[in-house]
Amino acid sequence: MTTIQKSKLNTLLSSWAPGAPMTSEDLAARGVSADLAVHYVRAGWLTRLARGVFCRPNDTLALHPSLLLLQRRLTGLHVGGKSALDWYGVRHYLSERPVLTLYGWAAGKLPDWFVSRFPAEYHRKRLFDELPTAMLHVGPFEQRSGAPEVSAPERALLELLSEVGVRQPLQEARELTESTYGLRADVLRELLQRCTSIKTVRLCLQLGRELSLPWATKLDPTMLPTGSDRPWVSQSGDGLLVLKP
């Protein structure tokens, strides 16, 4: 290896955060061409995860930097629903290895190198009237620099409720909702006003009333998109679900 190549490799590895994957574009920005990256892989100085994605040899990938890479590739990708609630400490059933729930705007598939290390499922969801570049109440986890995008607890609850009757059992959703007494009513109101799913709006209001949650008393159903006066009926895994306006 030439002195220049050694210098590039040393500079690259010294600036490479442990547990973080890099793309070909990241390497190019550090002066490592595609051909040189191939040479590093063959020499064992880089590990190729997939086409255009690399990590340090013998490195254990970390979840947060891996999510940050995916967020650059899938528009609107964020941790949401039950996973986001779990990140904020709202949980009921503890799993040794829970499946990470990710949402986004674009149709797509999570790469094998990611799901083989972090069991996850990705769903394209447009639950709110918003722009993918300005999603409502989605931001870096705990406002930390370099943290992945995650739904605020209020949005996460609505994402969870939107899955009832599809992938989410009603009983578990009810039990998780029971632990959301600390939600901010003003944030929830804004999200409900922009929610495109009448079922989700009605279910949120109904569970909030049934469970006597503090935020429910601060929401005026007449100011929210609850649809017509007819009940909304759906068959869920827990039986028949009837939602009144």
Side-chain angles (χ1 to χ4, degrees):
M1 185 191 295
T2 66
T3 302
I4 294 177
Q5 287 179 339
K6 287 182 180 178
S7 176
K8 284 186 177 181
L9 179 62
N10 291 335
T11 300
L12 173 66
L13 295 180
S14 65
S15 64
W16 197 321
M22 277 198 194
T23 65
S24 298
E25 293 79 13
D26 297 326
L27 296 180
R30 290 164 171 78
V32 177
S33 67
D35 288 342
L36 187 53
V38 170
H39 174 70
Y40 286 166
V41 170
R42 289 174 177 169
W45 294 308
L46 287 185
T47 297
R48 182 179 180 273
L49 298 171
R51 182 180 178 85
V53 184
F54 306 87
C55 69
R56 294 165 54 137
N58 302 316
D59 198 8
T60 299
L61 291 184
L63 175 59
H64 284 201
S66 298
L67 282 172
L68 290 174
L69 186 149
L70 295 187
Q71 286 172 352
R72 289 154 50 189
R73 298 193 162 191
L74 285 169
T75 302
L77 181 81
H78 64 282
V79 179
K82 185 161 58 176
S83 291
L85 290 173
D86 179 73
W87 283 27
Y88 287 109
V90 179
R91 58 179 67 98
H92 182 70
Y93 299 112
L94 294 179
S95 172
E96 291 184 3
R97 202 177 187 195
V99 175
L100 185 67
T101 304
L102 302 173
Y103 295 115
W105 272 64
K109 179 179 179 293
L110 297 176
D112 291 338
W113 65 263
F114 182 84
V115 295
S116 65
R117 293 167 173 83
F118 312 106
E121 55 186 26
Y122 171 77
H123 304 292
R124 182 189 182 201
K125 182 174 286 292
R126 299 188 180 182
L127 186 59
F128 305 97
D129 180 15
E130 61 185 352
L131 296 174
T133 54
M135 291 186 295
L136 296 169
H137 299 287
V138 173
F141 181 56
E142 296 181 336
Q143 304 304 312
R144 298 199 304 251
S145 176
E149 297 285 297
V150 60
S151 293
E154 294 80 8
R155 179 180 177 123
L157 174 63
L158 297 183
E159 289 170 334
L160 171 77
L161 297 180
S162 74
E163 301 283 2
V164 170
V166 184
R167 288 174 284 266
Q168 173 61 51
L170 174 60
Q171 183 58 32
E172 184 187 24
R174 179 189 297 274
E175 291 163 350
L176 286 168
T177 303
E178 191 172 12
S179 299
T180 63
Y181 49 83
L183 294 189
R184 298 163 293 180
D186 56 334
V187 172
L188 198 52
R189 183 183 302 109
E190 179 188 5
L191 288 164
L192 288 168
Q193 288 172 341
R194 304 274 289 275
C195 185
T196 59
S197 167
I198 291 174
K199 177 200 80 173
T200 301
V201 175
R202 288 191 181 187
L203 183 55
C204 177
L205 293 173
Q206 186 164 306
L207 289 180
R209 291 191 298 263
E210 291 176 1
L211 298 170
S212 301
L213 294 167
W215 48 260
T217 62
K218 301 175 184 178
L219 299 175
D220 182 357
T222 64
M223 304 298 293
L224 301 174
T226 56
S228 67
D229 293 334
R230 291 170 21 178
W232 188 92
V233 182
S234 175
Q235 184 72 33
S236 73
D238 304 273
L240 197 65
L241 175 61
V242 180
L243 301 175
K244 299 178 181 179

